[in-house]
Amino acid sequence: MKAAVVRSFAEPLVIEERPVPTPAGHQVLVRMETSGLCHTDIHAAQGDWPIRPNPPFVPGHEGIGIIEAAGDQVGHLAVGDRVAIPWLGEACGHCDHCVSGWETLCPEQLNSGYSVDGSHTEYALAHGTYVVRVPDGIDPLDAAPLTCAGVTTYKAVKLSGARPGTLALVSGIGGLGHLALQYARIFGAETVAVDVTDEKLALARELGADHVIDARVQDVAEEMRRLGGAHVAVSLAVSNESFDAAYASLRRGGTLVLVALPAEGKLELPVFDMVLNGTKVIGSIVGTREDLAEVFRLHGLGRTRVVRETRGLEEINSAIEEVLKGEVPGRLVFDMR
Ligand code: NAD
Ligand code: ZN
Ligand code: ZN
């Protein structure tokens, strides 16, 4: 089988020929159909974050495929089932986070495509308890971006408190942002989309954004003040500047949800302003298996549209360049069928 492998943070990925692995215990062997390229894979391949993965490793955590074999401890899934392999590869299942619906905060967790090999490969091993069934009728090309970009922004918008009557700022209309915008609309908010390319701003309009701001030529905070200030803002652009602008866009009592993770990501908070204005800043990491099931259900009802283009796995290095240049409409998805 072919796998895309990060051998060193300084070099392009290598397509390697590897033996198909055998599942044991709780593992399932998944024949990958599709795998989305998240910006996180690029951070992983470049070793951008304080906790780094250990090369060689296979990135990818938006993996969709069919179970081909299962270990003897897997009772609830069968060969032939279509499943999603998300970022949360495995958690302990018994800590206070795991038992209170916050498995995404489990300190013992393993992450697909980061601490364990992920989905940019023709066959992947995954923990049967942490894969999520993909309902019939959902195109595997749509299911892939929903498995990280979808669930992450669905959770972030949920946590933000967006609801009818609120003004929601979505900063960065990329893989995550184009779905965040749709969830903010589903939750009933009036939406403002911010980006720095004509194509992404056009996409935001097409997806129903009530307002768009071009951060290249407009002052985001000033435009937001004109609109009354954001009740909620979700930061999805890989840029520290955009965090400052999103914070400054909040109205009194507003909430900023941080999601994007640039290398050296920083936001300096003005304490006086924060205290007097009662603003909140929270971090949000992916979503649970239940959140992903909800995301699939919404998509099955036709409430979301996944904007994506396909590439071959062997094009992974040029695909990464396309994402870094901001040239991708929505998501790139590797099609391995
Ligand atoms: P992406 O590259 O597809 O999208 C980023 C978007 O931001 C692009 O549309 C780009 O044009 C836009 N942008 C760049 N500069 C901007 C600016 N100054 N203002 C507004 N927009 C600007 O990336 P993605 O896959 O959507 O991921 C975004 C970030 O989220 C990455 O850092 C990724 O690692 C992180 N992420 C976090 C989680 C989580 O759980 N917290 C999950 C997945 C991804
Ligand atoms: Zn991701
Ligand atoms: Zn746990």
Side-chain angles (χ1 to χ4, degrees), residues 69-300:
D72 57 4
Q73 301 297 305
V74 180
H76 67 298
L77 294 167
V79 168
D81 286 352
R82 175 171 288 133
V83 292
I85 302 179
W87 172 253
L88 188 72
E90 184 175 339
C92 79
H94 53 74
C95 71
D96 54 346
H97 305 291
C98 280
V99 299
S100 62
W102 280 98
E103 63 206 35
T104 49
L105 300 183
C106 176
E108 306 286 313
Q109 70 184 273
L110 298 177
N111 298 116
S112 312
Y114 209 85
S115 51
V116 293
D117 280 343
S119 57
H120 295 332
T121 171
E122 290 175 324
Y123 289 87
L125 286 179
H127 194 298
T129 306
Y130 290 88
V131 297
V132 174
R133 233 187 260 272
V134 180
D136 289 343
I138 295 192
D139 185 332
L141 289 170
D142 289 346
L146 294 173
T147 297
C148 177
V151 74
T152 298
T153 55
Y154 177 66
K155 185 68 160 195
V157 171
K158 247 191 192 180
L159 291 176
S160 76
R163 56 181 172 76
T166 59
L167 184 65
L169 176 79
V170 179
S171 169
I173 307 298
L176 269 62
H178 90 282
L179 285 158
L181 178 60
Q182 299 179 58
Y183 294 124
R185 284 168 50 80
I186 289 170
F187 279 80
E190 179 181 347
T191 53
V192 189
V194 185
D195 209 292
V196 291
T197 79
D198 295 340
E199 293 75 15
K200 310 263 181 171
L201 294 170
L203 175 63
R205 275 192 207 93
E206 196 185 314
L207 293 172
D210 297 296
H211 315 270
V212 301
I213 299 176
D214 182 344
R216 289 170 303 186
V217 296
Q218 287 173 290
D219 182 321
V220 177
E222 200 179 305
E223 295 301 322
M224 289 304 293
R225 264 193 299 277
R226 233 193 287 279
L227 293 169
H231 294 84
V232 311
V234 186
S235 274
L236 308 163
V238 192
S239 137
N240 282 334
E241 252 174 39
S242 73
F243 299 165
D244 294 329
Y247 179 78
S249 298
L250 295 178
R251 61 188 271 137
R252 290 190 163 208
T255 302
L256 169 60
V257 185
L258 298 176
V259 175
L261 288 159
E264 319 285 338
K266 281 216 168 46
L267 169 63
E268 212 164 290
L269 293 172
V271 173
F272 184 80
D273 175 271
M274 221 182 148
V275 171
L276 268 79
N277 293 327
T279 49
K280 291 182 276 301
V281 177
I282 58 179
S284 186
I285 179 76
V286 294
T288 62
R289 291 164 287 180
E290 178 56 24
D291 293 317
L292 181 52
E294 291 172 19
V295 159
F296 285 148
R297 212 172 306 142
L298 280 171
H299 192 73

